[in-house]
Amino acid sequence: MRITVIGTGYLGAVHAAGMASFGHDVMGVDVDAAKIDQLSRGLTPFFEPGLQDLLRENIAAGRLKFSTSLEEAAGFGDVHFICVGTPQSPNSTAADMRFVDAVVQGLAPHLKKPCLLVGKSTVPVGTAARLSEMAARLAPSGTQVNVAWNPEFLREGFAVEDTLHPDRLVIGVTSADDESILRDVYAPVLAAGTPFISTDLATAELVKVSANAFLATKISFINAIADICEAAGADIMPLAAALGHDSRIGSRFLAPGVGFGGGCLPKDIRAFMARAEELGVGESLDFLKSVDRINVSRPASAVDLARDMLGGSLMNRRVAVLGAAFKPNSDDVRDSQALKVAKALQAQGAHVRVHDPEAVDNARAVYPTLNYTHEADKAFEGAELTVHLTEWSQYRQLDPTRLLGLVTSPRILDARNTLDIDHWRSAGWTVRAMGRPSR
Ligand code: UGA
């Protein structure tokens, strides 16, 4: 099939390469000419394990090319995937739909053959129906343009795996023909026995925001219990493990720490609440306000613990920060809790040096006034406190005994609860961890 993927960010670039690896002829499209130039040369504009190889393989096989032209895309594709961002609006908590709308506005007038527009971006429910009207209005008369919705569940850091082997496929369609087109698009995934749910447009849109709202709720739930543990002198780690053994609860997304960030969960729960308000059912999602509030307060809790560990003041204290990305295996710093903590430590007078294996350049672009280093050892040099904020696996490999020779004071705050704190303690470090008793 001839497929275009419009928007080549964290979602679209991987989707384009994935579609090509299924054997389709794919054109990735973006307004950012520099990004298109990079992708055309098989270079990834961001860090995503496995993406570079997938890109190169499919470019070399002649199945994947890139363009900045929606007109070219219109002439090329039978199926057009919309993968542009839906960030939080500048003036409200609703989703900013400008980029999605601009795709349809730019593409539809050039459509000269029947085609299917398939939304993958996370959108307020009702968007597909609205875009369908917009496309019908803007397309040349006589051109049949249908709209379907196919929410994406990929996780950054595992995006290639999630694209090639998703745990489910959800599509919202308005006709059996559209369903059959999408079955062809995803033939290899369906052949692997992947659960397939075909439903209406609104339900498909809602599946995505509901999934992210549930994940966010799980994280904030365990973080709220972590607060109770701290107050009661209990330990969140065995508690979470015990909960996780109940298969009705499950252990995933029950990792306590500094909370969730990234380009999805934080803005998606807010956009969901805003849309529910518009629909007159805002109260139904009232609990998400608490989910959001708990998460928003996590960085401040981490800073309070850090200050406490330094005897009540951060002024002129040297602090090593481990991690800037919103999660490991990504260089994405959007809404990163790690960076919020680093910034707040600095605002309270600390001299902060931030290390991250991949995200330093992106972090510097957002918060240029922080000190950064590409070498973990440099962050530790002279530190009176180390704060572990993004759970990269290399931080778990650190040797606490060797690091004693670099720091001024061996104190560490594990704000992700992934370090072996007994090991650090026995090496002579004072350790605190969010939701765990101090010893
Ligand atoms: C999330 C969803 O997991 C994907 O299914 C979805 O497709 C994607 O959003 C999206 O909407 O596009 P992602 O933003 O890549 O994926 O990140 P997650 O793996 O969900 O992690 C989100 C944040 O939660 C991270 O900051 C992570 O550190 C934090 N987290 C995760 C916790 O604090 N505790 C946990 O137990 C799990």
Side-chain angles (χ1 to χ4, degrees), residues 55-192:
L55 266 180
R56 290 186 174 175
E57 219 173 277
N58 285 287
I59 292 171
R63 290 188 294 259
L64 179 57
K65 57 183 175 178
F66 293 92
S67 168
T68 52
S69 163
L70 283 175
E71 186 172 355
E72 202 185 336
F76 177 86
D78 303 309
V79 175
H80 303 279
F81 281 100
I82 302 173
C83 294
V84 292
T86 50
Q88 188 172 317
S89 293
N91 304 318
S92 77
T93 54
D96 184 347
M97 296 304 293
R98 274 180 297 177
F99 307 106
V100 171
D101 290 3
V103 169
V104 178
Q105 282 154 0
L107 185 73
H110 301 296
L111 293 169
K112 304 217 167 61
K113 52 179 178 173
C115 62
L116 184 61
L117 304 189
V118 187
K120 286 194 90 64
S121 308
T122 304
V123 293
V125 58
T127 298
R130 186 173 64 76
L131 295 180
S132 191
E133 280 167 26
M134 188 192 285
R137 190 162 25 87
L138 297 176
S141 61
T143 307
Q144 176 74 28
V145 182
N146 283 3
V147 172
W149 219 259
N150 167 220
E152 178 58 61
F153 304 104
L154 67 78
R155 300 157 297 167
E156 288 178 27
F158 299 92
V160 170
E161 171 67 16
D162 288 350
T163 299
L164 300 182
H165 309 286
D167 52 12
R168 79 283 213 194
L169 262 182
V170 177
I171 61 163
V173 286
T174 53
S175 75
D177 285 352
D178 293 348
E179 175 175 329
S180 127
I181 291 171
L182 285 168
R183 280 182 179 275
D184 287 347
V185 167
Y186 287 112
V189 175
L190 293 173

Side-chain angles (χ1 to χ4, degrees), residues 11 122 152-158 162 168 208 211-212 215 218-219 222-223 251-268 295 325-328 332 335-337 389-391 416:
L11 160 59
T122 304
E152 178 58 61
F153 304 104
L154 67 78
R155 300 157 297 167
E156 288 178 27
F158 299 92
D162 288 350
R168 79 283 213 194
K208 175 58 194 277
N212 277 2
L215 294 171
K218 253 189 128 175
I219 299 169
I222 204 66
N223 284 332
S251 59
R252 299 177 74 188
F253 273 69
L254 219 50
V258 76
F260 57 83
C264 305
L265 263 46
K267 61 99 178 162
D268 285 352
N295 195 57
F326 85 101
K327 68 176 204 178
D332 192 348
D335 242 321
S336 162
Q337 301 288 77
L389 288 163
T390 308
E391 64 276 35
R416 285 291 181 186

